[in-house]
Amino acid sequence: MSTTAILQFGTSRFLQAHADLFVSDAIEEGQSVGPVTVVQSSGDASRTHRLRALADPAGYEVRIKGIDNGHLVDTSRTVTSIKRALALPDDLDEVAQIAAGETRIILSNTADAGFRPQDADRSTEFSIEMSYPAKLAWFLFQRFTRGGARVQVMPAELIPQNGNVLRDLVLGIATLYPPAFAAWLRSDVIWVNSLVDRIVSEPLEPAGAIAEPYGLWAIENQPGLIVPCRHSCVQVVDNLEQVETLKLFILNLGHTYLVARWLAAGSSPHEYVRQLMESPDFGPDLDDLYRREVIPGFKAHGREQEANAYAATTMDRFRNPFLDHRLADIAQNHGEKITRRIGSFLSWARKADPALSMPRLDAVANTLRVAGK
């Protein structure tokens, strides 16, 4: 079995059509990168068939469908970057060995609630019930105790400054371990902030996905950074904040706002984002929300022009006639998404201009307070 430089926690269709695809493209070009070992960390036995398909030597399919610079795109790619697919807790020993030795990059994309602390986090005994940061702390401790080399951690969760957030969570958990471990986490682990952006609308069976042409993996530069691969969709930037706020507060906020209205409508016959965009009750309202409530927040930060351009691109992406982007999928972990996307935007915008009027966004944020969340 060949060694794998990238250890990936999460089997999401997003990573299949994003990082795993980019690494596969790079390998095809002859770059000495990857390959990938994927770990299903949730303990969900129903995904066993997906694991087998991900590591199939023949690869799995990603269909790219949409409009790119005015041109129709409908193509298929085969992804062959994944060489091993393992599951926790059954393969715990093998994953621990990989994490302690051959891994150079640890990548993750857990559910939005994956960083939420769990009771099991209070123990140094591995449990499938642990949060992802606690599991990561456990695996990094295996590397530490075996004298492992420096390693890079790259979360792909949509959390501002995700690398720093994950670092702080792991350091908090590290208080359960010997003090030298925390020092090693600071000196020998490179914690990378990154942002991912691609609409992956639906899975293919048994593995693979359908995705739009647009794709971005923005990685914040720092000393010692390992770039996973060279690719047109991979950008190393000095400051991630500008890219991050555009994506989180325009595209993702727009998704969550649409879903909030869709859920409130109750009996809406629409199933996909593109259907809402075609509806006179939803599409024009989102466009108006961007103009009257979102763009003014960016203007208060001196970023009106770039926000206008990104919002226009976002509207086109939402209208993509080829993507069956299910509203029910976006609605998963809806409360956490309201907090991170809409609540955070309201705070960010009003730091620059406390007098901003954003009644529709305030109303969505207030639904959590009414629900007592």
Side-chain angles (χ1 to χ4, degrees):
M1 176 65 71
S2 62
T3 61
T4 50
I6 300 174
L7 179 62
Q8 173 181 308
F9 288 96
T11 63
S12 69
R13 66 175 182 262
F14 175 82
L15 285 179
Q16 293 174 45
H18 189 270
D20 298 332
L21 172 59
F22 301 160
V23 172
S24 180
D25 288 345
I27 291 172
E28 278 190 28
E29 292 178 359
Q31 295 180 39
S32 181
V33 297
V36 181
T37 288
V38 168
V39 178
Q40 179 193 309
S41 56
S42 66
D44 184 353
S46 67
R47 298 181 181 180
T48 302
H49 71 294
R50 180 191 295 177
L51 278 178
R52 287 196 296 266
L54 286 173
D56 188 327
Y60 63 83
E61 181 185 14
V62 172
R63 297 175 193 162
I64 307 296
K65 305 181 72 170
I67 299 172
D68 186 16
N69 292 323
H71 299 288
L72 184 68
V73 175
D74 188 351
T75 187
S76 177
R77 305 299 303 273
T78 300
V79 177
T80 57
S81 55
I82 298 173
K83 298 304 180 187
R84 280 181 293 198
L86 305 172
L88 297 176
D90 293 349
D91 299 316
L92 179 62
D93 290 344
E94 186 174 357
V95 176
Q97 183 177 354
I98 294 167
E102 66 196 59
T103 297
R104 298 179 69 225
I105 296 173
I106 297 176
L107 175 67
S108 67
N109 183 246
T110 61
D112 271 23
F115 281 20
R116 185 187 301 155
Q118 302 295 327
D119 290 341
D121 295 355
R122 302 190 185 103
S123 171
T124 58
E125 198 74 28
F126 183 87
S127 168
I128 197 65
E129 302 302 324
M130 285 174 162
S131 67
Y132 172 65
K135 291 172 183 170
L136 178 61
W138 191 90
F139 284 113
L140 289 174
F141 186 67
Q142 311 313 304
R143 191 177 184 96
F144 166 73
T145 57
R146 301 180 200 184
R150 175 172 288 197
V151 66
Q152 179 166 297
V153 173
M154 300 185 69
E157 288 81 1
L158 188 67
I159 298 171
Q161 299 295 298
N162 51 15
N164 293 344
V165 170
L166 183 56
R167 176 199 63 203
D168 292 346
L169 289 169
V170 171
L171 283 170
I173 293 163
T175 58
L176 299 171
Y177 295 87
F181 178 48
W184 181 84
L185 289 172
R186 292 186 176 94
S187 64
D188 285 73
V189 180
I190 303 170
W191 303 90
V192 179
N193 296 317
S194 68
L195 179 140
V196 296
D197 190 357
R198 168 166 263 177
I199 297 173
V200 181
S201 61
E202 59 182 304
L204 299 176
E205 292 296 336
I210 298 176
E212 66 173 338
Y214 182 94
L216 174 67
W217 191 0
I219 301 168
E220 192 168 75
N221 202 6
Q222 63 171 289
L225 177 74
I226 304 170
V227 181
C229 63
R230 297 189 308 277
H231 194 279
S232 60
C233 294
V234 177
Q235 297 180 18
V236 177
V237 299
D238 290 330
N239 186 347
L240 200 62
E241 190 268 343
Q242 282 194 290
V243 181
E244 198 165 47
T245 48
L246 286 172
K247 198 308 184 131
L248 185 64
F249 294 154
I250 296 181
L251 185 139
N252 295 108
L253 177 148
H255 272 152
T256 297
Y257 176 76
L258 284 174
V259 164
R261 287 208 56 222
W262 175 71
L263 291 171
S267 60
S268 170
H270 305 303
E271 184 180 359
Y272 305 120
V273 170
R274 58 177 172 77
Q275 293 173 325
L276 285 191
M277 297 302 294
E278 295 165 1
S279 166
D281 296 327
F282 290 91
D285 177 57
L286 179 62
D287 185 54
D288 188 69
L289 179 89
Y290 281 150
R291 288 188 296 105
R292 294 179 183 270
E293 300 192 23
V294 176
I295 302 301
F298 280 88
K299 181 179 180 181
H301 283 270
R303 299 175 58 190
E304 180 180 17
Q305 185 173 354
E306 62 178 311
N308 268 317
Y310 191 87
T313 298
T314 297
M315 292 292 287
D316 286 342
R317 292 169 69 188
F318 284 3
R319 293 187 180 109
N320 185 337
F322 301 100
L323 288 189
D324 291 339
H325 197 180
R326 288 181 173 80
L327 296 158
D329 290 344
I330 302 171
Q332 293 177 13
N333 304 304
H334 185 55
E336 287 90 348
K337 289 175 180 177
I338 289 175
T339 298
R340 289 179 183 162
R341 300 172 178 186
I342 294 178
S344 295
F345 173 74
L346 290 168
S347 299
W348 178 78
R350 284 176 173 145
K351 277 184 181 177
D353 184 355
L356 283 172
S357 175
M358 297 176 279
R360 284 170 285 187
L361 294 178
D362 280 329
V364 175
N366 285 335
T367 60
L368 292 184
R369 300 188 188 100
V370 170
K373 296 181 180 179

